[in-house]
Amino acid sequence: MEARYLLRYLSTAPIVATLTLVTISVILIVLNYLFPGLQYGTFFHSLP
């Protein structure tokens, strides 16, 4: 397999879109793990 075919495959839109979505998902999961409550606005004050 030549390198140009591999490069063409890896630069296709579905691969780039999938990698982007996975990256964003991992970042959000890690942020939610490290700072729970950010998604609810309760990071700086507790729930009543």
Side-chain angles (χ1 to χ4, degrees):
M1 179 187 258
E2 294 186 28
R4 62 182 173 157
Y5 295 125
L6 182 63
L7 187 61
R8 183 182 298 169
Y9 171 73
L10 290 177
S11 64
T12 56
I15 302 297
V16 172
T18 303
L19 290 177
T20 303
L21 290 175
V22 167
T23 303
I24 292 172
S25 300
V26 167
I27 289 172
L28 289 176
I29 289 170
V30 168
L31 281 176
N32 194 23
Y33 178 76
L34 294 175
F35 304 106
L38 281 178
Q39 60 197 3
Y40 306 114
T42 59
F43 183 67
F44 296 109
H45 58 276
S46 62
L47 290 172

